Amino acid sequence: AAKRRHGGVTGYDASLDEGAASRLTLQSELRHGIERGELVVFYQPKVDVATRMPCGAEALVRWQHPTRGLLAPDAFIPLAEETGLIDLVTAEVLDQALAQIARWAELDHELPVSVNIPARSLSDDGFPATVAAALERHRVRPELLTLEITESAVIADMMRAGEVLGELREQGVNISIDDFGTGYSSIAHLRDMPPHELKIDRSFVMKMCENSRDETIVRAVVDLARNLRLRVVAEGVETESALRALDELGCHEAQGYHISRPLPAADLTAWLAGAGSG
Ligand code: C2E
Ligand code: CA
Ligand code: CA
Ligand code: CA
């Protein structure tokens, strides 16, 4: 299959995904890969827009495939979502991220970490217990964990999703709506299942300084979040001018290549040491 570059890792062409046979191969490879510990978590830092100090990191999974190299999530997360393997992926990323939060705490870096959760996990009423057990196993305070909910499919059972979110909130875990303004994410959810944070999709942020419509949308989401007393995070911050514009709009946090690419944990530890002293 033809390879393309994707955020520093190797992705695969859609042509690979089309063959049923290769999808089946990928599926069983992924199952075994998870068991063999081939999933690796990278961390992309976020900064406080006003002070530019690090204020958190997002856990982003990669697959260290034995023959194909480091695979980007786009090459296997959609398949994992279709086949139900996503629950294994979520559990593995959650476990690694919490272990890392605990390690950073030992180094006196109290760094909150965000983990990506597909909305379908909210229809699993065992999910809050899974999260609680993982927090306990690693002795991490729930306030240091944010769950970024992505609505790549419509939430089938709203009542149950509301209950699951309510339980997670009660535990003290933070809830973020990822890719706000795209997919199935709905403004009604802000009323019925209020999160702690909105994350503005990178498609609106990347060109906000060139495209006035994008800037207007970013401004509207920042205002909406602030008026609802929610934290607001912009992802896809690729330039200094975007970071300055976000500061003027009152956006709380920023994440993007201009600040740092996603890094292996050890590299982020070094980056944090540099960011703190300089
Ligand atoms: P996302 O949650 O929206 O994550 C942000 C993506 O934007 C990441 O891509 C990140 O590398 C990329 N990014 C960050 N800054 C910039 C920038 O300045 N410019 C541009 N162009 N891109 C930037 P990545 O790591 O390839 O992840 C892609 C998607 O895969 C994520 O989008 C998320 O939906 C999914 N994903 C990643 N890790 C996990 C996971 O552990 N579980 C689940 N369920 N999904 C995951
Ligand atoms: Ca995310
Ligand atoms: Ca996002
Ligand atoms: Ca996304």
Side-chain angles (χ1 to χ4, degrees):
K3 289 178 181 178
R4 63 189 159 83
R5 298 288 294 165
H6 178 101
V9 293
T10 308
Y12 269 78
D13 249 4
S15 57
L16 179 87
D17 297 14
E18 279 161 19
S22 60
R23 282 169 55 87
L24 212 60
T25 310
L26 199 65
Q27 185 185 338
S28 77
E29 280 184 349
L30 179 56
R31 185 185 295 281
H32 291 114
I34 298 169
E35 285 164 6
R36 286 194 294 256
E38 291 170 7
L39 295 188
V40 196
V41 179
F42 277 39
Y43 297 87
Q44 186 176 33
K46 296 184 291 177
V47 296
D48 182 301
V49 170
T51 66
R52 304 212 173 188
M53 293 297 284
C55 61
E58 178 176 7
L60 293 160
V61 72
R62 279 90 181 87
W63 178 9
Q64 186 64 67
H65 190 282
T67 56
R68 297 177 190 173
L70 195 62
L71 298 184
D74 294 349
F76 62 94
I77 290 289
L79 181 79
E81 287 203 19
E82 285 168 39
T83 56
L85 280 174
I86 191 68
D87 293 340
L88 279 179
V89 175
T90 301
E92 173 66 21
V93 174
L94 194 58
D95 198 62
Q96 289 194 33
L98 290 170
Q100 189 57 51
I101 295 176
R103 255 177 251 130
W104 277 324
E106 278 173 23
L107 298 173
D108 270 342
H109 290 304
E110 195 156 80
L111 198 71
V113 172
S114 300
V115 172
N116 288 287
I117 306 291
R120 48 161 271 165
S121 292
L122 303 181
S123 52
D124 171 8
D125 52 20
F127 185 64
T130 305
V131 174
L135 285 164
E136 207 155 293
R137 192 160 62 243
H138 296 284
R139 304 192 179 288
V140 167
R141 288 189 293 117
E143 296 77 20
L144 291 177
L145 178 66
T146 295
L147 303 178
E148 287 188 6
I149 315 285
T150 310
E151 295 179 55
S152 52
V154 68
I155 298 179
D157 188 344
M158 271 305 169
M159 285 275 281
R160 177 174 295 180
E163 283 165 19
V164 167
L165 274 183
E167 275 183 60
L168 291 163
R169 285 184 65 109
E170 257 168 54
Q171 286 176 25
V173 170
N174 296 295
I175 305 296
S176 175
I177 305 285
D178 203 356
D179 302 340
F180 186 76
T182 71
Y184 294 86
S185 72
S186 157
I187 287 184
H189 297 172
L190 299 179
R191 180 193 59 205
D192 304 330
M193 301 186 279
H196 299 87
E197 175 186 288
L198 295 187
K199 205 154 176 187
I200 310 174
D201 192 65
R202 66 180 188 260
S203 63
F204 302 121
V205 177
M206 278 162 55
K207 295 202 173 61
M208 64 178 284
C209 293
E210 293 97 72
N211 184 326
S212 69
R213 282 173 182 256
D214 285 345
E215 200 238 21
T216 301
I217 291 168
V218 172
R219 181 193 302 273
V221 178
V222 170
D223 288 348
L224 178 65
R226 292 189 68 107
N227 289 330
L228 290 169
R229 304 282 179 272
L230 308 178
R231 299 285 295 173
V232 55
V233 184
E235 70 178 16
V237 179
E238 295 187 342
T239 60
E240 178 62 26
S241 52
L243 190 53
R244 289 212 185 118
L246 289 164
D247 191 15
E248 266 161 39
L249 295 182
C251 183
H252 299 118
E253 297 176 23
Q255 174 182 347
Y257 296 163
H258 177 62
I259 296 145
S260 167
R261 295 205 166 237
L263 300 170
D267 294 3
L268 184 58
T269 307
W271 186 91
L272 288 169
S277 61

